[in-house]
Amino acid sequence: MPKDKMEYLESNSMRMLQRSMDFLWSKQTCILDNIANAETPGYKTKYATFEESLQKAIQSASHDKTSASSSIREAIETTPVEIRQAEESTRLDGNGVNITEQMVELVREGYQMQYVMNAMSSDFSLIRTAING
């Protein structure tokens, strides 16, 4: 494969798509854990976050004018997916899971995952077309 096509596979946008899939996988795991523990007394709702810390990391990397592209790549690769527990409880037994809210989040997460997969598929299709001519 020519070097310019290989570079595309290592581009910031492709890495961002990979990190998005990692985040969505973690988010789906949290949602499924929440649904599975909907009847567990004292269970607190878990949720995954990624966007806020990624935004901060990219903003600080973009201010570094020496090597903005590599700084942004570093920010993308090193921003962790954070798993947090909610503090609030919605029931008297201390359980914080709102099953309806979790089901809506699961559907939304499914659509987000489908969007990222379509974006990746489209990118790979362009590469395949460029290779085949």
Side-chain angles (χ1 to χ4, degrees):
M1 185 179 288
K3 186 178 180 186
D4 59 331
K5 291 175 182 63
M6 283 299 291
E7 287 175 1
Y8 180 75
L9 292 175
E10 298 296 319
S11 69
N12 287 345
S13 61
M14 186 57 74
R15 292 201 182 235
M16 188 63 223
L17 288 172
Q18 292 169 350
R19 290 295 291 152
S20 295
M21 286 301 291
D22 291 343
F23 164 67
L24 291 171
W25 185 262
S26 297
K27 184 177 177 183
Q28 184 178 48
T29 301
C30 286
I31 294 169
L32 293 174
D33 284 349
N34 293 338
I35 292 170
N37 288 293
E39 297 299 321
T40 305
Y43 181 83
K44 302 293 183 198
T45 304
K46 293 190 301 187
Y47 60 96
T49 63
F50 176 68
E51 296 96 342
E52 300 89 13
S53 53
L54 177 66
Q55 183 179 11
K56 289 176 188 173
I58 288 177
Q59 284 175 346
S60 75
S62 66
H63 294 313
D64 179 16
K65 300 297 181 193
T66 57
S67 58
S69 180
S70 63
S71 296
I72 290 175
R73 174 173 293 185
E74 210 172 285
I76 291 170
E77 291 178 354
T78 59
T79 302
V81 174
E82 299 174 17
I83 308 296
R84 299 182 185 165
Q85 278 191 321
E87 298 298 322
E88 73 276 353
S89 294
T90 57
R91 299 188 334 214
L92 292 176
D93 67 357
N95 187 299
V97 177
N98 179 332
I99 195 77
T100 304
E101 179 182 291
Q102 293 302 306
M103 295 301 278
V104 168
E105 283 299 313
L106 186 61
V107 170
R108 181 182 6 206
E109 189 273 338
Y111 281 121
Q112 289 172 333
M113 192 173 278
Q114 183 179 2
Y115 175 77
V116 172
M117 291 297 288
N118 285 341
M120 291 176 95
S121 177
S122 174
D123 288 350
F124 289 137
S125 178
L126 287 173
I127 291 172
R128 224 180 357 263
T129 301
I131 291 171
N132 294 334

